[in-house]
Amino acid sequence: MMDSMTRRDLLRTAAAGCAAAVVAPRVAASLRANKAEKDAGWITGEMTGAQALVASLLIEGVECVFGIPGAQDNELWDTMKSKGLPYLLVTHEFSAASMADGYARSTGKPGVLCVVPGPGVTNALTGIGEALLDSIPLVCIVCDVARGDKYKAFQVHELPQVGLLKPITKEVYEVSHQAEIPTAVRQALALARSGEPGPVAVVVPYPLFIATHKYHAAPPAPPEAPYDEGAVAKAVQLLSNRKLRVGVYAGLGCMDYAQDLTRAADLLQAPVATSVSGKGVISENHPLAVGWGYGPQATRTAESAFKDVDLVLAIGVRYSEVSTGFYAIPKTSHLIHVDANANNLGRNVKPDVCVHADAGLFLAELLQKRECLQRSCDAKLAARIQSWKRDECKLNYKHYETCGVDPMALVLALRRSLREDALLFMDVSQTEHWAAEAFKALQPRTYFNPTNNQSMGWSIPASLGAQRVHPGRQVATITGDGCFLMSAMEMSTAAREGLPVKFFVLDDRAFHYMQSIQKPAYVRTTATILAKLDYAALAKGFGVGYQELDGGDVEAGVRGALCHEGPVLVRVIADYGKRPVRWIDAVHDRYTKELSTEQKVRFLARIGSRKLTHEKEND
């Protein structure tokens, strides 16, 4: 072959070798630089907008995207599949938001949903609103209609997506060019979990998913956690007064700092009560844990313990309507309120000290000030708490005559049967208040309740979102029959994906919660009776296991359901009996006190006249 080469060929080969000798080091250096940038979290290279979005989610560690593909986002879903980003098809966009919510609550990381514009957005709004009011980090990817130079009038799903999303999110990132996608997505994930967590939306017109761009996008700067040094110093000074008996009221903001919270409570020898969302920030078996709330709506133990408190240290809580029983907040001599969102401070209570600070940073500072805060072990306090707990436990186990299963018996049986790290999802029902009192959360992120938006039907999809990323954990829900009707179709997702959630449905063929509120005020019920359902046939149709509890040995039935390998629908034939509900009683008392004399007279007159009639007026 060499004999056939001309002089020109030899010169060309030599020239190429020289060029390679010059270019090779530059190419190697460029490759090293690109690798370093990728290792540092950069999004680099030429790709489509869909590829850039998926690359952003992957590099941020997103474990699953929940939603339903549609005309505007098929390109994005196909890219998720190509790039190996896990996704879960749901039956309704409300479920997509609730699954992302359940994922976020159980992991502490932002949940991600992807929806089409128009009905996809409006269907998801309720779930996104729950995340906003409950301080849950979500990112909603909305694949919008064409905008800019691609816009044409009267497109399908052409609702004002941004306008719909702004009131119920921390921020809406509107993308107008494919180059903006990585930064928008990654900033949304960072914002969702920073400060007070909450939902964030990213709206991307669908033509940008197929448009290409040569990306060179840096990772967003980590957000700075709030920390008001001056306010922290004032709080420490007040806490150092050992004449003041301290009680800690801890919320969801403390969930990732459970160990430090427990150490701080031991340091201050302070009883610890939690909000509903905060259950689990301290093991409820701890000697200083007194349950949820600290007023008449709360556990009896918490109410008793906080009667002796001079100074309440509230951390990561907002004093919302639900957690305070319609703002039935007992007065204390002193209050320190700590929160990552300055707008939450002093809204419903008047603190001595408002501390705008991240709960973790604040608790770390308390532990650093051990010498000036340390208090002697209060054995008498621990003994009183233990005694109150025993008394309360006896009341919870008190038998009320029923023609079925007492929901409190179900709650207690689940606690005895589930492992300590099991995940329990409650729905909006009267039973949520009994569970808040009686179900002991023993680890962080194991007890979940849609607290402040009270989205009925939330627990079924939320539990699936958590089970999807916790395959080895026990996951159960307690859902009323009314809530079941709102999201039951999602059980088909559990069957399809083999997600072994145990669905306990309290069946009394009524909106019992509404009945318990309506009857005292109106001496009748209205629009509360539900249809009779064949739950066994439903379970068979969904392709899930089935079991029925109708009194008898409730715990044996619960354990039987938990032993089943796949998803199980458990119909619990419920009889609520006459068991009191402290939360409802507290709200009723508080509401009554706020009525004017004229309003009270009118209510009493109406009640009196209806009690004289003998007609059946229920529904």
Side-chain angles (χ1 to χ4, degrees), residues 438-498:
F439 188 91
K440 290 185 177 180
L442 305 177
Q443 294 183 16
R445 301 194 182 280
T446 56
Y447 181 91
F448 313 97
N449 203 116
T451 307
N452 294 307
N453 205 33
Q454 290 280 286
S455 303
M456 293 179 65
W458 172 90
S459 74
I460 291 175
S463 66
L464 295 175
Q467 184 77 86
R468 178 67 175 75
V469 291
H470 297 291
R473 305 269 290 274
Q474 290 178 320
V475 180
T477 74
I478 298 181
T479 304
D481 45 7
C483 292
F484 174 79
L485 291 172
M486 295 196 174
S487 58
M489 293 305 295
E490 219 57 67
M491 289 187 186
S492 66
T493 303
R496 186 190 73 230
E497 298 294 327

Side-chain angles (χ1 to χ4, degrees), residues 7-246:
R7 184 170 180 274
R8 182 177 295 173
D9 292 330
L10 290 171
L11 289 173
R12 186 179 293 134
T13 302
C18 292
V22 173
V23 172
R26 295 178 182 172
V27 171
S30 177
L31 289 173
R32 286 194 298 271
N34 288 340
K35 184 178 184 304
E37 285 187 345
K38 287 181 179 179
D39 290 343
W42 286 61
I43 303 293
T44 60
E46 186 166 343
M47 61 187 87
T48 65
Q51 291 169 335
L53 195 152
V54 172
S56 302
L57 295 177
L58 285 169
I59 205 167
E60 290 292 331
V62 171
E63 297 173 277
C64 189
V65 176
F66 304 93
I68 304 174
Q72 286 86 1
D73 62 0
N74 275 326
E75 180 74 18
L76 181 56
W77 282 82
D78 185 75
T79 305
M80 284 193 273
K81 187 171 187 176
S82 297
K83 297 297 182 182
L85 176 59
Y87 52 80
L88 184 60
L89 171 66
V90 306
T91 67
H92 193 279
E93 288 88 355
F94 164 69
S95 295
S98 299
M99 285 190 193
D101 185 338
Y103 166 94
R105 292 187 200 227
S106 65
T107 64
K109 298 184 288 186
V112 178
L113 62 148
C114 179
V115 298
V116 295
V121 171
T122 55
N123 286 343
L125 290 179
T126 297
I128 297 171
E130 188 69 61
L132 178 73
L133 296 185
D134 285 3
S135 307
I136 306 301
L138 294 190
V139 171
C140 180
I141 307 294
V142 178
C143 307
D144 199 8
V145 300
R147 303 290 181 183
D149 59 0
K150 299 286 186 181
Y151 176 79
K152 293 188 185 303
F154 316 122
Q155 295 179 70
V156 65
H157 300 338
E158 191 184 350
L159 290 179
Q161 329 298 341
V162 173
L164 289 167
L165 289 161
K166 275 190 174 180
I168 60 166
T169 58
K170 293 176 72 173
E171 183 68 72
V172 178
Y173 290 93
E174 296 181 74
V175 174
S176 58
H177 190 278
Q178 62 269 28
E180 303 165 4
I181 290 175
T183 299
V185 170
R186 300 180 76 181
Q187 284 182 344
L189 287 163
L191 179 61
R193 59 179 175 259
S194 66
E196 180 183 5
V200 180
V202 180
V203 179
V204 185
Y206 76 88
L208 301 185
F209 289 129
I210 60 173
T212 59
H213 181 73
K214 190 170 184 179
Y215 289 94
H216 193 69
E224 187 174 347
Y227 188 74
D228 184 339
E229 290 188 16
V232 171
K234 290 179 182 178
V236 170
Q237 183 179 14
L238 189 55
L239 288 166
S240 65
N241 183 351
R242 292 182 175 85
K243 293 180 181 179
L244 298 177
R245 294 164 295 183
V246 179

Side-chain angles (χ1 to χ4, degrees), residues 244-248 269-271 294 302-313 331-334 381:
L244 298 177
R245 294 164 295 183
V246 179
V248 174
Q269 286 296 286
Y294 63 90
E303 185 179 24
S304 298
F306 272 67
K307 285 179 179 177
D308 297 329
V309 163
D310 304 307
L311 167 59
V312 172
L313 172 58
K331 292 183 178 180
T332 53
S333 301
H334 302 281
L381 171 63

Side-chain angles (χ1 to χ4, degrees), residues 560-575:
L562 294 177
C563 288
H564 192 281
E565 290 186 0
V568 182
L569 169 58
V570 183
R571 179 195 178 205
V572 182
I573 301 172
D575 185 343

Side-chain angles (χ1 to χ4, degrees), residues 4 8 49 70 140 174 177 219 229 243 293 315 318 351 376 412 435 445 560 574 602-604 613:
S4 65
R8 182 177 295 173
C140 180
E174 296 181 74
H177 190 278
E229 290 188 16
K243 293 180 181 179
I315 314 174
R318 293 179 300 183
S376 301
L412 296 170
R445 301 194 182 280
R602 188 166 64 248
F603 266 84
L604 290 171
T613 65

